Amino acid sequence: MSEGILELGDDIVRAQRHQMQRRQTQQQQTQQGLMMELYLAMFESTYTAWAIVAGLAVVWHYHIESVVPRPYLDEFFHVQQAELYLQGRFQEWHPKITTPPGLYLVSLAYLGFLSITRIIDEVHVADLRRTNVMAAGLLPFHVWFVIHEIVVATYHESQVERTLLPSMWSMIELNHAILNICIFPPLFFFYGLYYTDVWSVLAVLTTYQFYCRRWKKPLVAAGIASLLFRQTNIFWVAVYLGGSEVVRRLEKGHPGHDVRVSDVVKASWRHSCLYSPRISQACLEDYFKVGLSLVVASAKESFQLFPHLKPYLSILGAFGFFLIWNDGVVLGDKENHVASIHLAQMLYIWPYIMFFSFPLLYPYILQALIPQKYIPSPLRSGSTRHQLPRLVVAIPVMAVMLIIVHFNTLVHPFTLADNRHYTFYAFRLLFRHPSIKYLAVPVYFICAWAAITGLGGLPIVQGPIYPLQASRPRASVHAGNPSQAEVRRGDRVRLPFASYPSIIVEPGHRVSTAVIWLIATTLSVVTAPLVEPRYFIIPWLIWRLHMPSPWPTSEEAAQKRKKRAKTRGARLKAMFFAKHDHRLWLETAWFLFVNWATGYVFLNWGFEWPQEKGKVQRFMW
């Protein structure tokens, strides 16, 4: 009898195991199906942007090959090193190259495959440059995934159903944002040249993609691979993503305005809660409070956070091993690339962002400087939150900027010795008179304010949006705005959007997002004595990926507005301002113009140096 009972027990255990295995198989099949649907959606939604970016990259590559078939400037060093790798001479290193060999390893794999398949018999400069064209073709898909996840997370913060995102953030806008990011002029320019920047950006975005997917092992592999292209990527794949992981794990709260520092510290330690108000509701003091809260809450939850931070600590460990092995950060030409504290870099980045992204930021400037009644109706916000900072804040900040300008303005010998780069002319203008560098401080301040404010979202008065049910329980939300509801943990409430004929919606980010970005940006640029637009590409990219678009009007309201429009101009106005973010079209036009202008100057405005007769010099970033 006991044997029968044991056999019955074994049968039950086997049945349970079989049922569990079947459930696991079904879950895996479901996950695989969802992943397939996700990637199919990614391909379908990104196809237009990919086709345009790839086409422009091919055209740009063709024109460069027609006019500049030989290596130009730093390409001499990169091409020579790539040829050594193609010959299998991995122990030899060009003394002028400062970055790791990631680009040459990619070229070795790519051109090695072409050689094996007999597509090419001999390697030329054009073949090496085509490596970056290939990266340009991959870039839109990585941008799509990251920006999609950021949009989803942002609208979850605004308590919007994930399933409603396609109607809130149309595929046209998603494609448009991807296109604009991929044709960013300092990045687009190097699609046609053999430089490390394009693959460096692609590697960082790949790591970011694995961060969004919460895939730890691929994240570590991609993060270490990104260091093979540029050493400063450590600040993005380890510091920025690690900091974002901490913010993601800590519960965020906003107890209200005018909170004392002592209260923030006590709440952060007692409840392990990160104080992080929305950027649109924050003042300068909140940024210091958020930083302090981040340190305190992280220290309190250090043991719980440690398992989640292992991937980023592993990347830091690999980078530390490289520093010990190499006896420093720079691989070659260490005399001309000595790391130093160059705080002025954090002043130069703000005009850089403003110059390229003023089509996105101009509404903030308008709302800050011009009374509401004089602003065109589609741009009116009905809000006073985007005013310039108070004088009690602006004066101390500009005083700090003046101190940095006076004591820490470093000019690398290469900057004023090479008139082939645009930075040469920017610095020559900046130092035309001793007072100009000080007069530029208000410009730095205004540009910094606009760039940070932009991350908070542009509040636009919209038509009624259908009431939604909160998709999941969330922590308490500050209820100072009539368009928000206080949601306590465990409650499911209906958002009161339908109660108002017009509401102000702000799909922006929290201060913690800006703080982590500022920390990573500072670490990545202040150690470089040389000022180059290329060094700001990834800081701008991360900033642009997080730049929110105004919450679109509901489909029904947009259609009614289009029907009421009688003239063609009115219909276009309703289409661009009611359904789509018109700033994206302005950004596209501006980027295309800058790319055309810099490309034309590079190809057609060659000149000669007196000391190098017969050798054409060209203007470039």
Side-chain angles (χ1 to χ4, degrees), residues 556-607:
E556 182 180 352
Q559 291 297 334
K560 287 182 180 179
R561 198 173 298 181
K562 283 184 67 177
K563 289 180 181 179
R564 289 198 302 266
K566 298 180 180 180
T567 64
R568 181 179 299 179
R571 286 194 295 270
L572 288 174
K573 181 179 177 181
M575 181 178 69
F576 287 118
F577 287 92
K579 287 191 64 177
H580 305 296
D581 188 355
H582 72 284
R583 299 177 301 164
L584 295 175
W585 295 101
L586 297 177
E587 186 182 34
T588 303
W590 176 238
F591 281 0
L592 290 175
F593 172 77
V594 174
N595 284 327
W596 170 82
T598 53
Y600 182 86
V601 168
F602 177 77
L603 297 175
N604 298 286
W605 284 15
F607 63 98

Side-chain angles (χ1 to χ4, degrees), residues 150-439:
I150 291 173
V151 169
V152 168
T154 304
Y155 281 101
H156 265 316
E157 285 287 330
S158 300
Q159 300 183 355
V160 176
E161 293 272 7
R162 185 187 182 108
T163 55
L164 295 179
L165 282 173
S167 61
M168 305 300 287
W169 180 276
S170 69
M171 288 302 176
I172 295 177
E173 283 189 317
L174 188 61
N175 260 296
H176 210 154
I178 294 168
L179 171 64
N180 289 351
I181 290 171
C182 292
I183 62 172
F184 178 54
L187 178 63
F188 179 85
F189 186 87
F190 293 101
Y191 288 167
L193 296 175
Y194 193 60
Y195 276 66
T196 61
D197 302 274
V198 183
W199 277 95
S200 173
V201 167
L202 187 65
V204 171
L205 281 176
T206 303
T207 311
Y208 204 151
Q209 178 178 341
F210 292 136
Y211 161 82
C212 294
R213 298 292 305 171
R214 302 174 190 259
W215 292 353
K216 295 182 179 180
K217 292 181 179 179
L219 186 149
V220 174
I224 293 175
S226 72
L227 302 180
L228 294 175
F229 297 98
R230 193 170 286 278
Q231 296 94 319
T232 52
N233 287 346
I234 186 65
F235 300 117
W236 297 105
V237 299
V239 176
Y240 175 76
L241 293 182
S244 300
E245 183 69 29
V246 171
V247 171
R248 184 163 66 180
R249 296 291 172 180
L250 293 175
E251 183 181 354
K252 292 178 284 294
H254 183 196
H257 296 286
D258 300 326
V259 182
R260 293 180 300 180
V261 175
S262 59
D263 295 332
V264 171
V265 173
K266 289 179 183 178
S268 300
W269 181 262
R270 189 173 300 169
H271 305 291
S272 302
C273 179
L274 176 63
Y275 174 79
S276 187
R278 292 196 177 277
I279 293 174
S280 59
Q281 298 172 343
C283 56
L284 180 65
E285 298 91 322
D286 287 314
Y287 288 81
F288 296 102
K289 293 176 184 177
V290 169
L292 185 60
S293 176
L294 184 61
V295 172
V296 173
S298 300
K300 174 71 180 300
E301 295 293 313
S302 56
F303 290 105
Q304 286 74 20
L305 291 173
F306 180 76
H308 303 293
L309 295 179
K310 282 183 179 180
Y312 314 101
L313 296 175
S314 300
I315 298 173
L316 281 173
F319 185 71
F321 178 79
F322 163 77
L323 294 179
I324 296 172
W325 172 80
N326 186 55
D327 192 24
V329 177
V330 179
L331 282 173
D333 198 18
K334 296 184 179 181
E335 295 181 358
N336 291 316
H337 294 82
V338 179
S340 58
I341 303 300
H342 191 186
L343 297 176
Q345 294 271 32
M346 281 306 294
L347 303 182
Y348 305 145
I349 192 173
W350 306 118
Y352 178 93
I353 292 176
M354 178 60 75
F355 174 78
F356 289 109
S357 298
F358 79 87
L360 300 177
L361 298 177
Y362 85 91
Y364 303 95
I365 304 297
L366 287 181
Q367 294 185 30
L369 301 179
I370 301 176
Q372 287 282 331
K373 62 181 180 180
Y374 298 115
I375 299 176
S377 57
L379 299 177
R380 292 177 189 169
S381 69
S383 171
T384 60
R385 293 178 183 170
H386 290 90
Q387 294 178 346
L388 287 173
R390 299 159 291 164
L391 285 178
V392 69
V393 172
I395 292 175
V397 171
M398 286 194 286
V400 173
M401 290 181 171
L402 284 169
I403 293 172
I404 293 174
V405 167
H406 185 76
F407 293 102
N408 199 236
T409 298
L410 307 180
V411 183
H412 196 280
F414 289 175
T415 302
L416 296 180
D418 193 344
N419 65 345
R420 295 170 294 185
H421 295 284
Y422 295 121
T423 49
F424 169 86
Y425 301 94
F427 272 88
R428 193 169 69 169
L429 176 64
L430 196 63
F431 294 111
R432 185 178 292 274
H433 189 274
S435 63
I436 294 180
K437 64 180 182 180
Y438 300 106
L439 295 175

Side-chain angles (χ1 to χ4, degrees), residues 40-54:
L40 286 175
M42 177 179 69
F43 180 79
E44 291 175 0
S45 63
T46 316
Y47 177 78
T48 304
W50 172 82
I52 296 174
V53 172

